[in-house]
Amino acid sequence: MNKTVLPVLALLLCAGTAFAQDYGLFIRQMPALAGGETASEESGAFSYTGTAIPWFAAPLGKKADLYLSAGISARLENETWKPVPEVYRFEFIYNPSPDISVELGRVPFGENLSYVFAGLFDGAAVRFNLGGGWLKAGVFYTGLLYKKAAYIIMAAEDRQDYYDGDVYFSSRRLAFGINWKKTNIFDTRNTLSLSGLGQFDLNGRDIKIHTQYLEGKLDIPLGHGFNAEAGGVFELIEQGQRIAAAFAVSGYLYWLPPGLWRDMLTLGGCLASGSWNEAAGAFLPVTSRAQGKVLRPEFSGIALIQSAYTARFQEALSADLSAAYFFRTDQVTYSDPAMDPSTLSPLLGGEIYGGLTWVPWSDLSVSAGGGVFFPQWGRYFKKDTALTYRITLEAVFSF
């Protein structure tokens, strides 16, 4: 059992039935089909994940709340079924005052850009509501998380464990973060977010990787339905005796056009530094987030420009269409078996993806999507590399 939740369970048992309870069940079904010659976790195979998550919530007096959720997934990968139990949000929340909140257990945490780390983590966090903003800080341990939910791959050994079917837990690291967000900054409608984050390697290896990050993001309402955001992360990487700097930047423009449909156009891009020399390294996040929906490279040594259109045609039906083009920012970080061995080009290629979401009732959601990556649009892959495709279907029921 996850040791961080033992105090929460003890408190629950002591509380008895003196409080109102709420509970339910989420069921998620997700088949996927992917293929092609470029590297992909699911490439060339049918996969299926079915997950059942019972949850329980209850107030503990007037200043505390409890939320417990755990479940099991049935995964079909490489024609093999595998049951995967997992603890999800497992949280005790205490509010000593209206402006202070303390969270203990397996709690959600992440910075505003979600480029460094985001998800559920075991530990403690405290949030303070300030005038026109808030401050949140937390300290967490990652070694009890399920590896494919956390996706913490910062070293070659982490990647080996990720694809080792006999390893369940994620890389062991002590992560910490402080996030501050202020609305109406400088007496404008702009919103400023700042973060300081980091992690220490606890894996007991000969060469450890420690990282620290400074992040900023600015949201700017432009009027007439236009909004913009810009952000960046500066990173220091300590790997053995080597200390290197890295960075990531992004910028996006959003437009909500007038009309009957609730729709939005998005245009922008992001860039993560590559491994350029001993002093300038490839951007290395704590939790990796796939960029793109078909090619799905990790955000390290990668840049992309992308556009998207989303629209809700009816209350229950919405659609999205997106396009992206990918670049390498160095010669070594991104690698693929289908690469042209003679290439020096940074141009990887482009993808197109579309999807539909149908929510006929609040407790039922069905979504379907599919897309194609075109390696011929770039110069990195061999000329005869086949198209890469990905098709997914997802249904979520709640009771």
Side-chain angles (χ1 to χ4, degrees):
M1 180 180 290
N2 186 339
K3 295 180 180 178
T4 62
V5 304
L6 290 178
V8 176
L9 290 177
L11 183 58
L12 172 63
L13 294 175
C14 294
T17 58
F19 46 76
Q21 303 173 4
D22 196 9
Y23 53 88
L25 175 68
F26 288 103
I27 296 179
R28 177 176 179 261
Q29 311 292 315
M30 186 174 178
L33 180 65
E37 297 179 12
T38 61
S40 172
E41 181 182 340
E42 300 172 297
S43 183
F46 173 80
S47 64
Y48 168 85
T49 301
T51 304
I53 307 174
W55 60 271
F56 174 88
L60 303 180
K62 296 182 179 180
K63 294 186 176 182
D65 294 281
L66 184 69
Y67 189 96
L68 311 177
S69 63
I72 188 168
S73 297
R75 295 178 179 269
L76 174 62
E77 295 179 350
N78 301 319
E79 301 182 352
T80 302
W81 285 98
K82 183 178 180 180
V84 180
E86 186 177 354
V87 175
Y88 296 94
R89 184 182 167 197
F90 222 80
E91 182 178 15
F92 168 68
I93 305 172
Y94 176 59
N95 301 289
S97 75
D99 294 324
I100 301 176
S101 177
V102 179
E103 303 170 61
L104 300 173
R106 180 160 291 182
V107 303
F109 193 87
E111 90 286 359
N112 293 287
L113 285 174
S114 298
Y115 284 160
V116 179
F117 64 80
L120 294 171
F121 300 94
D122 296 326
V126 58
R127 172 175 169 140
F128 302 92
N129 291 328
L130 308 173
W134 52 262
L135 178 74
K136 186 173 183 178
V139 178
F140 311 98
Y141 175 66
T142 67
L144 296 175
L145 303 172
Y146 175 51
K147 62 182 181 182
K148 291 198 173 181
Y151 207 98
I152 299 174
I153 299 179
M154 305 189 73
E157 295 88 346
D158 294 341
R159 191 172 300 279
Q160 293 171 3
D161 289 342
Y162 183 85
Y163 290 105
D164 186 340
D166 296 326
V167 176
Y168 177 91
F169 294 109
S170 179
S171 179
R172 298 188 297 275
R173 299 178 183 275
L174 180 67
F176 60 90
I178 300 175
N179 297 325
W180 175 72
K181 188 171 186 177
K182 179 69 169 65
T183 57
N184 299 321
I185 194 75
F186 306 129
D187 294 324
T188 68
R189 294 183 299 159
N190 302 337
T191 298
L192 177 65
S193 306
L194 299 175
S195 300
L197 311 112
Q199 62 80 33
F200 296 103
D201 194 334
L202 303 179
N203 286 287
R205 299 163 183 159
D206 292 336
I207 300 178
K208 299 181 182 295
I209 299 177
H210 309 305
T211 54
Q212 300 86 45
Y213 311 82
L214 288 176
E215 177 183 294
K217 179 186 175 186
L218 185 63
D219 295 282
I220 309 171
L222 301 175
H224 303 287
F226 286 93
N227 295 276
E229 71 172 49
V233 186
F234 174 78
E235 177 184 16
L236 281 179
I237 305 171
E238 302 174 52
Q239 186 171 9
Q241 299 299 316
R242 181 195 177 205
I243 299 179
F247 70 91
V249 294
S250 64
Y252 288 91
L253 179 66
Y254 305 94
W255 180 42
L256 285 74
L260 297 177
W261 292 345
R262 285 176 284 178
D263 52 353
M264 181 175 67
L265 281 166
T266 304
L267 178 64
C270 54
L271 180 150
S273 64
S275 182
W276 297 326
N277 52 52
E278 281 296 311
F283 180 70
L284 185 62
V286 180
T287 58
S288 297
R289 187 178 70 170
Q291 303 299 304
K293 297 182 178 179
V294 183
L295 185 65
R296 298 159 61 105
E298 298 170 13
F299 194 45
S300 184
I302 286 288
L304 67 150
I305 54 174
Q306 55 187 333
S307 61
Y309 175 73
T310 60
R312 175 170 289 183
F313 306 116
Q314 300 176 357
E315 189 64 29
L317 183 64
S318 59
D320 64 273
L321 180 65
S322 63
Y325 194 91
F326 301 88
F327 307 83
R328 293 189 298 166
T329 59
D330 67 14
Q331 300 291 322
V332 295
T333 302
Y334 178 83
S335 63
D336 194 290
M339 73 170 289
D340 181 345
S342 64
T343 187
L344 296 175
S345 174
L347 307 179
L348 293 177
E351 70 175 33
I352 298 175
Y353 189 92
L356 288 172
T357 299
W358 180 50
V359 187
W361 304 285
S362 60
D363 51 5
L364 172 62
S365 172
V366 180
S367 60
V372 178
F373 172 75
F374 299 88
Q376 293 81 9
W377 292 0
R379 297 182 179 179
Y380 171 83
F381 295 97
K382 298 174 185 177
K383 293 183 179 180
D384 58 351
T385 301
L387 301 179
T388 297
Y389 63 88
R390 189 167 189 267
I391 302 170
T392 63
L393 177 65
E394 181 178 20
V396 178
F397 310 86
S398 61
F399 303 93

